[in-house]
Amino acid sequence: MNFSEIPHPLTTRLKRHQIATESGDVVWYELGSGTPLLLLHGGFGNHLHWEKNIEFFAQKYRVLIPDMPGFGESDKAPEHTIESLLIPFLSSLHQLVKADELIDVVCFSFGGLVGSQLVLSRGHVGRLAILGAVGHHVERRPRGELINWKDAYAKHDLPALHDCMRHNLLMHMIYDESVIDDNAVDIQTRACTSCRFKSREISWSGGLFEKLEKIQQSTTTQIILIWGEFDVTGDPSLLAEITLMRLPNVRARVMFGAGHWIQYEKADEVNELLSEWLTLPNFKTN
């Protein structure tokens, strides 16, 4: 059962790049023109994590959205590490954008750890936004137990698979149950069933603030962190306090009434907030 055989309606409106690297092919999607804006999905994700945001930002930017190595339609990463993932990722990126061209990067969840390392490895990033950032060692706040969907998937039991995915969205990704429509379930199903990269241990191992401190010390990249009020991966009020103490030049925001997948649950608010932030003047003082 391969859900990618039936294209998602959004995917059919995007330009697709399948880029060969020495470590395998990486698939990117593209829409719009202007300054390159990368959108990096989270763990167990793919480019459709940004389904409600791509067309909005494509009005002003050249939006580039990968299935990172080991996710979606891209080939597996050589190893289950960010460093290994970045080898084919950067190789493919530099076939789309010159290595010294300034880009902006917006990340979700595990993608924030990848995006932070991207800034340190590549440079030439004007702005870095991380939504639902993980890797912070703040205690998780589980809403309930996740259901293992793999048995239903193996048996081709589509109703049971749908129920598992919907339940897991409510437990981990989306706070407001009314937002969990068939499209959200479809995206979750496509993403989870195509994932071949083990990101969970990386997300739980920490390192986010250390990476951001290095970025703050060595670059002029502007950074904003945004969490949903009910994000299960950590208490946003505590995370905002830690950000203020450790990273005085980094902005932190809490999106009220939202869970982890804020760019889907609160798409309009997130789009407007990021659109304004991406055009603010540089405020860094050091």
Side-chain angles (χ1 to χ4, degrees):
M1 186 163 45
N2 187 347
F3 291 90
S4 65
E5 292 178 354
I6 304 174
H8 187 278
L10 173 66
T11 300
T12 63
R13 301 196 293 274
L14 307 178
K15 183 178 181 180
R16 184 180 187 274
H17 304 276
Q18 184 164 344
I19 300 175
T21 77
E22 293 184 358
S23 302
D25 291 359
V26 182
V27 172
W28 290 76
Y29 286 92
E30 176 178 354
L31 189 67
S33 60
T35 300
L37 175 65
L38 273 58
L39 303 180
L40 305 187
H41 61 75
F44 294 93
N46 63 15
H47 64 283
L48 290 173
H49 266 167
W50 303 100
E51 190 259 355
K52 291 191 174 185
N53 321 100
I54 293 170
E55 291 174 309
F56 175 86
F57 286 105
Q59 298 174 68
K60 296 182 179 179
Y61 299 92
R62 181 191 177 197
V63 182
L64 296 165
I65 323 98
D67 282 348
M68 293 190 288
F71 298 88
E73 300 170 42
S74 294
D75 289 340
K76 291 174 62 176
E79 298 176 356
H80 298 287
T81 65
I82 289 178
E83 293 76 14
S84 180
L85 182 154
L86 275 174
I87 293 171
F89 178 84
L90 282 172
S91 176
S92 64
L93 171 62
H94 292 158
Q95 295 182 55
L96 293 169
V97 178
K98 293 179 181 179
D100 60 353
E101 185 173 355
L102 190 66
I103 62 175
D104 294 319
V105 183
V106 178
C107 319
F108 172 53
S109 193
F110 166 72
L113 292 169
V114 178
S116 299
Q117 190 60 48
L118 168 68
V119 177
L120 294 171
S121 300
R122 178 189 184 272
H124 306 291
V125 174
R127 294 180 185 268
L128 172 69
I130 306 177
L131 315 182
V134 296
H136 43 61
H137 279 323
V138 169
E139 186 176 0
R140 294 170 61 83
R141 310 182 299 170
R143 192 173 184 181
E145 294 292 330
L146 299 178
I147 297 175
N148 191 323
W149 49 266
K150 292 184 179 179
D151 185 56
Y153 179 64
K155 293 178 179 177
H156 293 198
D157 187 342
L158 294 181
L161 182 62
H162 181 280
D163 290 345
C164 287
M165 294 295 178
R166 190 180 190 284
H167 170 86
N168 289 349
L169 280 169
L170 184 60
M171 293 300 102
H172 185 75
M173 298 284 275
I174 293 174
Y175 175 73
D176 182 354
E177 188 170 3
S178 68
V179 178
I180 305 176
D181 54 12
D182 287 342
N183 183 53
V185 174
D186 179 45
I187 292 172
Q188 179 81 349
T189 303
R190 290 170 183 267
C192 288
T193 57
S194 64
C195 178
R196 289 141 293 129
F197 187 92
K198 297 177 181 178
S199 64
R200 184 170 292 161
E201 289 187 3
I202 300 173
S203 296
W204 290 357
S205 65
L208 172 69
F209 286 109
E210 290 77 9
K211 289 179 187 293
L212 297 181
E213 283 174 335
K214 289 180 181 178
I215 292 171
Q216 187 173 253
Q217 292 163 5
S218 61
T219 77
T220 58
T221 300
Q222 305 292 288
I223 305 170
I224 189 170
L225 304 176
I226 309 170
W227 287 276
E229 178 186 8
F230 300 104
D231 195 321
V232 301
T233 66
D235 182 344
S237 59
L238 177 56
L239 287 164
E241 289 180 13
I242 294 172
T243 302
L244 181 62
M245 289 187 294
R246 295 186 62 171
L247 302 160
N249 289 324
V250 171
R251 302 183 184 213
R253 296 289 185 272
V254 176
M255 189 70 63
F256 294 105
H260 185 53
W261 191 10
I262 52 175
Q263 73 270 29
Y264 190 93
E265 185 167 10
K266 295 287 185 178
D268 291 342
E269 291 93 328
V270 168
N271 289 343
E272 290 298 333
L273 173 59
L274 288 176
S275 180
E276 179 181 355
W277 177 75
L278 285 165
T279 56
L280 287 175
N282 188 307
F283 67 90
K284 194 162 185 177
T285 57
N286 64 343

